[in-house]
Each structure stands twice: as structure tokens, then as C-alpha cells.
């Protein structure tokens, strides 16, 4: 017997981000975003499954002072996860693959991202980013090798190379590939 098809459509993210230059080549900022998961078999948001991501941002941009054509980016956050509420009416318990496919999770997580960007012109900037999401309070049965701590391969992390284009002032377009490393 096969499990029933579970599908969602239309997950939505809204957020705001702001920052300011605190030194000639250092900027600090923050961001908050709401992640609205859609319900099973629905195209509308399940508001009881809303998650929130709070982030602190820092940029060191040596290209502003002419020292080097490089930007170093740091992104540290806390993700208050609630997307699993969207699957409360599921006809069966979800396995790890279904959770991944539906992009639902059960655990809050601490997120850390590091990026390196090298502007080659005013309108183009290649970059590479690394991000790790450390889930908190995960049950022992869901951990790698049934250990009390996570192995590095079990913690979600990814490497993302890409290019950022600036076709208009104030508009950035990113083209990138995220490579999961776990």
C-alpha cells in the first residue's frame, strides 16, 4: 500500500531588512521575515503554521574605501519554526523525506551565514555563501547515528556560489545554485 499524496502550493515569505553604515566600510543591520506555509492540498496560507526568522547582519566592504574589491558578509539569526502545524491534518505521520519535500520542520534553529563577494564592476558581483542551520531540541531518534549530539553531516548546511546583478539603482538580482552539504 502506498501513502496518500501530500502536496502544498504557495508558501509565501514576507520580510523587511534595514541597515546603516557605522564606519566607512562597516555596516550593521537587521531583518525579520514571516514564513507562511500553505496547508495540505491548499494554495492558501495556513496562518497557524507561520514561522518567524530574526536576523542580525554585518558587512565589511573594503571596496568602499578602495582597499580591496571584497565584501565580507555575516548573517546570524534565530528561526522560530512552526511550519509543521500545516501538516496537522495529514492522514499519516510524515517521514523525513516528506518533511523535506513539503519544506516543513519541527525545530527552531540557529542560523549562521558567511559570505564573500567580489564586485568586478558597478553592475556585477560574484559571490559565494556558506550557511549552517543548527536545529535545537531534536529528539534522539531523529539524530544521526542515534547519538546525543549531531555529526557535522547531519546538521543542515549549504554552499551557494552565484552572481549578483544590479541592473537599476536599488535593485539587485541574484542567480545562484545552493549545494546542500548534508
Amino acid at each position: 500500500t502506498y501513502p496518500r499524496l501530500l502536496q502544498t502550493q504557495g508558501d509565501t515569505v514576507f520580510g523587511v531588512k534595514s541597515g546603516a553604515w557605522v564606519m566607512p566600510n562597516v555596516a550593521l543591520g537587521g531583518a525579520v521575515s514571516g514564513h507562511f506555509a500553505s496547508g495540505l492540498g491548499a494554495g492558501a496560507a495556513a496562518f497557524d503554521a507561520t514561522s518567524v526568522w530574526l536576523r542580525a547582519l554585518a558587512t565589511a566592504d573594503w571596496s568602499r574605501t578602495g582597499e580591496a574589491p571584497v565584501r565580507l558578509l555575516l548573517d546570524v539569526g534565530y528561526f522560530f519554526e512552526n511550519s509543521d502545524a500545516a501538516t496537522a491534518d495529514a492522514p499519516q505521520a510524515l517521514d523525513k523525506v516528506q518533511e523535506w519535500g513539503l519544506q516543513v520542520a519541527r525545530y527552531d534553529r540557529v542560523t549562521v551565514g558567511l559570505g564573500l563577494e567580489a564586485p568586478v564592476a558597478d553592475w556585477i558581483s560574484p559571490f559565494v555563501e556558506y550557511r549552517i542551520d543548527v536545529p535545537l531540541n531534536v529528539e534522539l531518534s531523529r539524530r544521526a547515528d542515534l547519538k546525543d549530539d549531531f555529526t557535522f553531516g547531519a546538521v543542515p548546511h549549504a554552499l551557494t556560489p552565484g552572481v549578483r546583478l544590479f541592473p537599476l539603482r536599488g535593485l539587485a538580482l541574484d542567480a545562484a545554485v545552493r549545494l546542500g552539504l548534508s
Side-chain angles (χ1 to χ4, degrees):
T1 172
Y2 294 101
R4 283 186 52 194
L5 173 64
L6 302 176
Q7 62 184 0
T8 63
Q9 297 178 27
D11 292 354
T12 307
V13 176
F14 288 107
V16 294
K17 178 168 55 170
S18 184
W21 293 100
V22 295
M23 294 172 45
N25 64 342
V26 176
L28 299 177
V32 62
S33 57
H35 296 242
F36 306 96
S38 61
L40 287 177
F47 290 105
D48 59 334
T50 300
S51 300
V52 176
W53 192 10
L54 301 175
R55 297 164 41 208
L57 310 168
T59 300
D61 186 352
W62 290 279
S63 66
R64 286 177 55 97
T65 55
E67 296 173 56
V70 156
R71 290 184 190 120
L72 184 62
L73 311 153
L74 175 65
D75 179 338
V76 178
Y78 192 92
F79 196 94
F80 296 92
E81 182 65 71
N82 195 36
S83 63
D84 65 321
T87 63
D89 297 331
Q92 72 229 17
L94 290 136
D95 61 26
K96 293 175 195 173
V97 172
Q98 289 170 320
E99 288 176 358
W100 179 83
L102 295 170
Q103 294 296 293
V104 298
R106 300 179 186 185
Y107 312 103
D108 290 356
R109 54 196 173 272
V110 173
T111 63
V112 178
L114 292 171
L116 183 64
E117 193 171 337
V120 294
D122 289 341
W123 59 276
I124 188 167
S125 186
F127 65 88
V128 63
E129 296 176 351
Y130 172 80
R131 184 169 132 192
I132 187 165
D133 296 355
V134 181
L136 303 174
N137 301 317
V138 178
E139 295 103 355
L140 185 60
S141 64
R142 297 178 65 85
R143 296 182 183 188
D145 303 324
L146 299 178
K147 294 181 181 176
D148 286 337
D149 58 348
F150 286 110
T151 61
F152 188 68
V155 177
H157 57 280
L159 187 67
T160 307
V163 64
R164 186 164 289 128
L165 304 173
F166 302 95
L168 302 171
R169 183 174 172 82
L171 176 66
L173 301 175
D174 289 356
V177 175
R178 177 169 290 174
L179 306 169
L181 303 175
S182 59

